[in-house]
Amino acid sequence: MPLQSACASSKEERVLPLLYPETRVRHNHSKRNDTIPQHYAEMSGEELDWRIAKARAKLGERLVILGHHYQRDEIIKYADFRGDSFKLAQLAAARPEADYIVFCGVHFMAESADILSAPHQKVILPNPAAGCSMADMANIAEVEECWEMLIDTLGDDASIIPITYMNSAANLKAFCGRNGGIVCTSSNAPAVVNWAFSRGKRVLFFPDEHLGRNTALKYGIPEEQMVVWDPKDPMASDTADEEIERSHIILWKGYCTTHMRFNVQQIEKARAEYPGIKILVHPECRREVVEAADLYGSTEYIIQQVEQAPAGSQWAIATEINLVHRLAKEHPEQFIFCLDPIVCPCSTMYRIHPAYLAWVLEGLVEGEVINQVIVNDEIAYWAKVALERMLAL
Ligand code: SF4
């Protein structure tokens, strides 16, 4: 069955909003185009393959293609490097000889690559509609409003350190940079939370409620000292002020649609069907899923666990399906499957189709830069401050 048709039960039909004005793809010397020319859309897989290969060969060392682990195989096979969002942004910075960094991932990743890469390097996101539904759940206006309300409520006692997950727009990273905060990834979130509590009494964590909660629990903060901030109705509860006053961590009400599909019943079923199986999940899953699992950790951690496991190991994994399928294919000596049998690919990652890759690469061969991502200088400066605080840990 084609992967897409297995997703009939998915409710993920969200159309990405326009990029925020401060960070939207600029048009100076580059062309933003959401609509791919029709003839690319009509090309066969074989034609796209040879066109991509030919363009790559012509561009040589001037080009580096980065592929996030959640990309489909038809894209990953062209990636010079694979990784999670942070590793790829660092790799981009480590390849100054490449004039063009084609980022096969989603928008916030291309922004981070632009912030960390050299000024002469151009970062290209083949399809500008490839965003991240979780990142879009917090925008700068909402975060600034939240910040003001928290300061109003807490007064001199506020002492809040903002932490944004890597999966956020550049202007939110910049907000953290300007306000004594920091960025975290799913691998270093515990160390980042520790850093924050050595500087303040409270943490405002956005945009992923679940990564924030799972990390806070690991740090030793009980659920009673956490409060969830719903940007659509922040003070809905009559006791909102008291809840905020006694909180140590304020969790933004955002989530990853891909990781929210996993549940404890799936874990129980996997254990009943395959005694001894190891359950390995991502910390963007709900608390109860993380607690019921044998192991949890970032995308890179999940890959490491499988790579280090002996032949015959059995894994039920709760993360994006393209990565799980690839791990199963690359480790036939182990038994690996996705915890949710009808899990869908991340719908926004899926927007990078080989046709978009062929289009932007052939544009580069012709001297035309299509869909470049440029973060404006002030946002880039403060976002880099927050990223560098993380890197210094
Ligand atoms: S898997 Fe989730 S967090 Fe990652 S890009 Fe997709 S929606 Fe965003």
Side-chain angles (χ1 to χ4, degrees), residues 12 68 70 105-106 108-109 131-135 165 167 208 255-259 284 319-320 345-349:
E12 168 62 300
H68 190 273
Y70 296 174
V106 295
F108 73 82
M109 300 176 186
C132 161
S133 51
M134 179 213 280
Y165 188 19
N167 302 24
D208 187 16
Y255 56 88
C256 166
T257 44
T258 301
H259 290 100
E284 286 170 19
T319 194
E320 210 273 348
C346 166
S347 60
T348 49
M349 285 273 181

Side-chain angles (χ1 to χ4, degrees), residues 122-365:
K122 294 180 168 55
V123 176
I124 292 152
L125 181 65
N127 181 355
C132 161
S133 51
M134 179 213 280
D136 291 336
M137 288 176 194
N139 67 47
I140 189 66
E142 291 169 336
V143 168
E144 280 175 347
E145 186 189 15
C146 165
W147 190 251
E148 277 170 28
M149 288 170 88
L150 291 175
I151 306 273
D152 276 357
T153 305
L154 296 164
D156 294 341
D157 186 40
S159 186
I160 315 170
I161 305 293
I163 300 179
T164 190
Y165 188 19
M166 193 71 183
N167 302 24
S168 60
N171 53 7
L172 298 191
K173 294 184 178 82
F175 174 89
C176 290
R178 272 196 303 272
N179 290 287
I182 187 166
V183 178
C184 78
T185 67
S186 49
S187 4
N188 64 21
V192 168
V193 165
N194 195 30
W195 177 93
F197 280 117
S198 68
R199 282 160 179 78
K201 275 168 55 178
R202 291 182 181 83
V203 160
L204 169 62
F205 191 101
F206 47 87
D208 187 16
E209 175 188 337
H210 303 283
L211 177 65
R213 176 177 292 109
N214 290 324
T215 307
L217 287 165
K218 189 172 182 175
Y219 183 78
I221 299 175
E223 188 92 40
E224 311 81 74
Q225 290 173 13
M226 302 183 200
V227 65
V228 176
W229 184 272
D230 180 354
K232 304 294 171 235
D233 200 0
M235 293 301 199
S237 149
D238 291 342
T239 55
D241 281 358
E242 294 101 88
E243 286 168 32
I244 289 168
E245 275 160 23
R246 62 165 188 268
S247 71
H248 277 108
I249 186 154
I250 299 129
L251 303 169
W252 196 267
K253 195 177 169 62
Y255 56 88
C256 166
T257 44
T258 301
H259 290 100
M260 287 296 276
R261 293 180 59 89
F262 300 104
N263 59 50
V264 174
Q265 290 70 36
Q266 292 161 347
I267 295 180
E268 287 165 354
K269 187 166 179 283
R271 287 198 171 122
E273 284 175 13
Y274 304 99
I277 196 159
K278 284 251 171 66
I279 312 290
L280 177 53
V281 311
H282 193 281
E284 286 170 19
C285 294
R286 290 184 186 86
R287 172 185 180 171
E288 57 269 28
V289 173
V290 167
E291 287 181 345
D294 295 294
L295 295 164
Y296 76 94
S298 65
T299 304
E300 292 294 341
Y301 174 86
I302 290 172
I303 294 169
Q304 255 176 28
Q305 293 307 305
V306 172
E307 285 177 348
Q308 291 165 5
S313 300
Q314 300 187 90
W315 299 101
I317 302 181
T319 194
E320 210 273 348
I321 191 76
N322 280 303
L323 173 61
V324 181
H325 280 173
R326 194 168 304 121
L327 284 171
K329 207 160 84 186
E330 291 176 355
H331 294 277
E333 80 289 358
Q334 300 182 42
F335 176 57
I336 298 168
F337 65 92
C338 186
L339 194 58
D340 177 4
I342 55 157
V343 78
C344 305
C346 166
S347 60
T348 49
M349 285 273 181
Y350 211 71
R351 291 178 184 178
I352 307 290
H353 184 276
Y356 282 94
L357 185 58
W359 175 40
V360 298
L361 292 185
E362 291 192 338
L364 292 177
V365 170

Side-chain angles (χ1 to χ4, degrees), residues 2-44:
L3 202 53
Q4 286 285 24
S5 65
C7 293
S9 62
S10 173
K11 298 281 179 289
E12 168 62 300
E13 290 171 353
R14 183 187 171 110
V15 174
L16 286 174
L18 281 175
L19 306 169
Y20 300 114
E22 298 91 331
T23 55
R24 73 171 54 191
V25 180
R26 275 200 220 148
H27 293 251
N28 50 339
H29 312 300
S30 70
K31 185 169 103 182
R32 171 182 171 159
N33 200 332
D34 298 342
T35 314
I36 190 163
Q38 186 61 24
H39 61 280
Y40 281 99
E42 288 167 0
M43 283 174 198
S44 66

